Amino acid sequence: NSDGDSTSRHRRLGFLSQKVLYDPRTTVIKPPLEYLWNGKNIYYQTALATDPTPDKVTRHSYQTMYGRFLLPYYHQNPNMKMLEIGLGCNMNYGPGASVSLYKTLFPQAELWEAEFVEKCVRQYQGTEMMKGINVLTGDQGDYGTVDAWISKSGGNFDVVIDDGGHQNCQIWNSFMKLWPAVKPGGLYFIEDMEVARHGKKRQAQAPCDSNVIVPEKLKEMFDVLIYEEFGQQRSESDIEFIFCQADACVLGKKLDADPASVWWNKHKA
């Protein structure tokens, strides 16, 4: 079964499978303790052993943020609910590379994949690769579509990963809808922002206009976290931290986040 496959793959990769413990009170399988302190290496080595290897660790170095934040989060929340935008249908190595990686690393997670190319989803749905994966389709930049995703999935995500179309307005419109659907204490990852200033990535998509550059919007949020003159906005914000690395960032939501926060409603408007 998938759990057995994941365990044996961890063993092949050299992880200490004997530290996968069974909790008789909950029957939850706790991931290796190395997820807490060696996440970067585990993510990197597991991705390299995945066929095909996702560009998250070849063209990019996303093992940094995923190893630092996502693997420890899974260790503490092995039944986490995670949504990734972008199945990879436009990748030269084909779709599903990250799906295979997640099924290995997070065997107990509830995994959702959202993809723009519905034909591609139909082609691969029912295959072994997509077994156990919940699928959503449509344009991530369209508010109605993302509302439908939240309705179908039930929202309340522990983790959202945006590896979708990389248009600024796609990223921003998705974020404006999905951030409120992230649980308190949850994580929101945005990949591939190195292309944010490219003209072809700045197409308007209502209510977002062509002046929106996502890294600049994140800098505004960063200012609120850093400078004392934004004390009131900081107290009203539900963002606990922003961590950025090459090409990407992750936002963490406060554990005591108020979904009706004044700050969030102002920015949503």
Side-chain angles (χ1 to χ4, degrees):
N1 58 38
S2 60
D3 285 355
D5 291 344
S6 298
T7 301
S8 61
R9 191 174 300 179
H10 280 146
R11 187 177 296 114
R12 292 197 303 273
L13 290 166
F15 306 140
L16 301 182
S17 57
Q18 65 266 29
K19 290 190 177 180
V20 179
L21 306 177
Y22 291 87
D23 186 337
R25 296 168 299 175
T26 62
T27 67
V28 169
I29 304 172
K30 296 182 179 178
L33 291 175
E34 286 89 337
Y35 274 42
L36 293 175
W37 58 267
N38 195 28
K40 180 178 178 180
N41 183 55
I42 291 174
Y43 187 95
Y44 181 67
Q45 294 297 333
T46 307
L48 288 181
T50 301
D51 185 21
T53 297
D55 72 347
K56 296 177 189 293
V57 298
T58 53
R59 182 169 177 240
H60 305 285
S61 56
Y62 294 154
Q63 65 270 17
T64 298
M65 64 179 184
Y66 290 127
R68 185 181 294 263
F69 295 99
L70 184 54
L71 269 67
Y73 187 94
Y74 176 72
H75 185 276
Q76 298 171 69
N77 305 275
N79 292 322
M80 70 180 185
K81 182 177 184 180
M82 186 172 87
L83 166 66
E84 180 180 53
I85 304 171
L87 182 61
C89 289
N90 63 339
M91 301 301 291
N92 57 12
Y93 48 69
S98 59
V99 165
S100 298
L101 174 62
Y102 300 147
K103 289 170 74 172
T104 300
L105 287 173
F106 314 127
Q108 294 184 88
E110 180 184 339
L111 300 175
W112 289 79
E113 285 285 330
E115 170 57 43
F116 179 78
V117 185
E118 189 171 352
K119 180 180 178 181
C120 171
V121 171
R122 289 198 304 268
Q123 179 182 350
Y124 287 93
Q125 205 161 17
T127 64
E128 185 63 27
M129 175 186 73
M130 297 301 293
K131 185 177 180 181
I133 304 297
N134 303 285
V135 181
L136 305 163
T137 57
D139 180 3
Q140 71 172 109
D142 177 71
Y143 268 15
T145 296
V146 182
D147 280 337
W149 291 355
I150 295 169
S151 177
K152 181 177 179 179
S153 66
N156 203 32
F157 298 108
D158 289 275
V159 177
V160 174
I161 297 173
D162 188 339
D163 185 20
H166 311 325
Q167 290 278 346
N168 282 283
C169 282
Q170 288 179 319
I171 295 169
W172 191 244
N173 286 353
S174 296
F175 178 78
M176 296 303 286
K177 283 290 184 178
L178 289 171
W179 176 253
V182 172
K183 291 179 182 178
L187 302 169
Y188 197 110
F189 296 87
I190 305 175
E191 299 185 5
D192 299 293
M193 287 190 288
E194 74 278 8
V195 298
R197 291 186 181 275
H198 293 187
K200 63 182 180 180
K201 299 298 183 183
R202 299 181 64 179
Q203 298 174 17
Q205 188 169 10
C208 167
D209 64 43
S210 59
N211 293 317
V212 169
I213 299 176
V214 173
E216 300 298 326
K217 302 294 284 186
L218 295 180
K219 287 177 186 177
E220 293 175 14
M221 298 175 183
F222 182 81
D223 285 350
V224 171
L225 290 174
I226 293 296
Y227 297 115
E228 62 181 6
E229 60 261 36
F230 295 106
Q232 179 64 31
Q233 289 151 284
R234 183 188 306 169
S235 66
E236 295 173 348
S237 172
D238 55 2
I239 297 171
E240 182 175 36
F241 68 84
I242 302 172
F243 172 93
C244 294
Q245 62 151 93
D247 307 337
C249 295
V250 54
L251 296 87
K253 181 174 277 192
K254 291 178 180 176
L255 274 170
D256 58 350
D258 178 1
S261 72
V262 175
W263 184 90
W264 181 252
N265 284 324
K266 282 180 181 176
H267 282 68
K268 192 172 184 180

